Amino acid sequence: MLHRTQHLLHNTIANWQDWHFGPEEIRAPPTLIRRLTAGLTNESFLVGNQDFQAVVRVNGHNGLSLGIDRQREKMLLGALNSLSCIPTLYYSDSNTLVTEYVDGRHPLKEDFADGMIQNQFRNALAAIQEIEVGHLETRCYVDYIQLYSDQLSNFDDLSIIEAAAQEIDNAHWTPVIAHHDLIPANIILNSSGVFFIDWEYSHLGHPLIDYLALFGAEACSKKADKRLLSALITLNFGIVKLWHAVQDKTFKT
């Protein structure tokens, strides 16, 4: 464990009385149980005691270069905190985030074709997209692409990705809370239903961004015209490529 990670994890656990548990009564400080993941951006740890368990996420040091706004994430998680598909937020600052621990598994390829799970996905997205958030500007996808491209040189297909982002920004649509990173690693399934975790790339965005991630282009074909749908697909793939390029550059410098 890196010194920075160890230091932040220790301090966050030591300040457990600053966490907001709501009606739960926590009588003893948590201790580290085990490391959960060492992701490409962050590291997560399971902590707890006999009363409860929680996840402490230690944020990566390069969040700004990846377009992550921790205050925005905290605000949106607060807005979504009443939904059953979102782990309860206990604590957040610029370096760490503490949420309810949700036990379960990540979906497999065949789960995305399961009718019951598809309905859970739809219901969760519908509930999320019904939540209104004031005082937050809609994501400008052109600016978002530029944030990545400004850190790179000679990136292939940049003009195609920029054109797709411009197409989406110029179209008429109603912004909703969008996760923007609904990969299997950010989805948990258990007997209670579906949970979406790791909201650090969330923003007010296009309502089909998350639907595309979960259901694919064919399932979204009746929700948008072909030109806009093509732009959304291009944007999704483009953001992933740009993200990896910036992440690789960050680790090499």
Side-chain angles (χ1 to χ4, degrees):
M1 188 187 304
L2 295 175
H3 175 73
R4 174 184 178 273
T5 301
Q6 187 175 26
H7 174 73
L8 291 171
L9 177 63
H10 172 80
N11 283 354
T12 302
I13 294 175
N15 294 324
W16 66 277
Q17 290 177 310
D18 293 334
W19 302 1
H20 303 289
F21 297 105
E24 297 181 64
E25 182 181 354
I26 308 302
R27 294 168 292 182
T31 58
L32 175 62
I33 298 174
R34 60 184 170 92
R35 185 183 191 175
L36 289 173
T37 61
L40 294 174
T41 309
N42 313 303
E43 292 187 77
S44 295
F45 302 86
L46 179 63
V47 303
N49 57 34
Q50 61 183 4
D51 295 321
F52 82 110
Q53 290 185 329
V55 176
V56 176
R57 188 190 74 195
V58 177
N59 301 328
H61 68 280
N62 60 335
L64 290 177
S65 66
L66 296 173
I68 295 171
D69 184 328
R70 302 298 180 188
Q71 282 300 115
R72 183 179 65 230
E73 179 188 19
K74 180 180 180 180
M75 183 190 72
L76 290 176
L77 279 175
L80 298 170
N81 218 25
S82 63
L83 300 184
S84 60
C85 59
I86 310 296
T88 302
L89 175 65
Y90 293 143
Y91 176 80
S92 176
D93 61 27
S94 60
N95 292 309
T96 60
L97 180 138
V98 184
T99 59
E100 168 193 10
Y101 173 63
V102 178
D103 194 15
R105 65 178 180 86
H106 300 302
L108 304 173
K109 183 178 180 180
E110 54 265 30
D111 290 319
F112 289 91
D114 184 292
M116 185 177 70
I117 294 175
Q118 285 183 344
N119 284 335
Q120 291 176 340
F121 286 159
R122 289 191 187 93
N123 292 338
L125 285 184
I128 290 165
Q129 294 188 356
E130 286 179 358
I131 300 294
E132 296 183 1
V133 180
H135 310 296
L136 181 62
E137 293 184 358
T138 301
R139 167 161 285 169
C140 174
Y141 288 104
V142 169
D143 289 349
Y144 191 58
I145 293 300
Q146 188 173 357
L147 181 146
Y148 286 99
S149 63
D150 282 351
Q151 302 174 63
L152 304 168
S153 59
N154 301 321
F155 185 83
D156 292 341
D157 300 327
L158 178 59
S159 61
I160 297 174
I161 301 169
E162 289 176 330
Q166 189 70 65
E167 179 80 22
I168 296 164
D169 286 344
N170 290 342
H172 296 287
W173 43 273
T174 301
V176 297
I177 296 177
H179 186 285
H180 285 105
D181 192 28
L182 279 181
I183 58 175
N186 290 335
I187 303 170
I188 296 176
L189 303 176
N190 64 24
S191 59
S192 298
V194 59
F195 297 83
F196 298 149
I197 64 174
D198 284 348
W199 285 78
E200 57 193 349
Y201 296 100
S202 59
H203 208 304
L204 288 183
H206 196 283
L208 285 185
I209 285 285
D210 290 342
Y211 272 91
L212 270 173
L214 293 177
F215 302 110
E218 185 176 350
C220 297
S221 60
K222 295 182 179 179
K223 296 179 180 291
D225 62 63
K226 289 184 178 180
R227 183 169 175 172
L228 181 59
L229 187 58
S230 176
L232 285 164
I233 294 168
T234 299
L235 178 72
N236 265 350
F237 282 112
I239 288 174
V240 172
K241 289 175 65 177
L242 284 163
W243 186 94
H244 280 285
V246 170
Q247 183 78 334
D248 289 345
K249 181 180 178 181
T250 301
F251 275 110
K252 290 176 181 177
T253 56

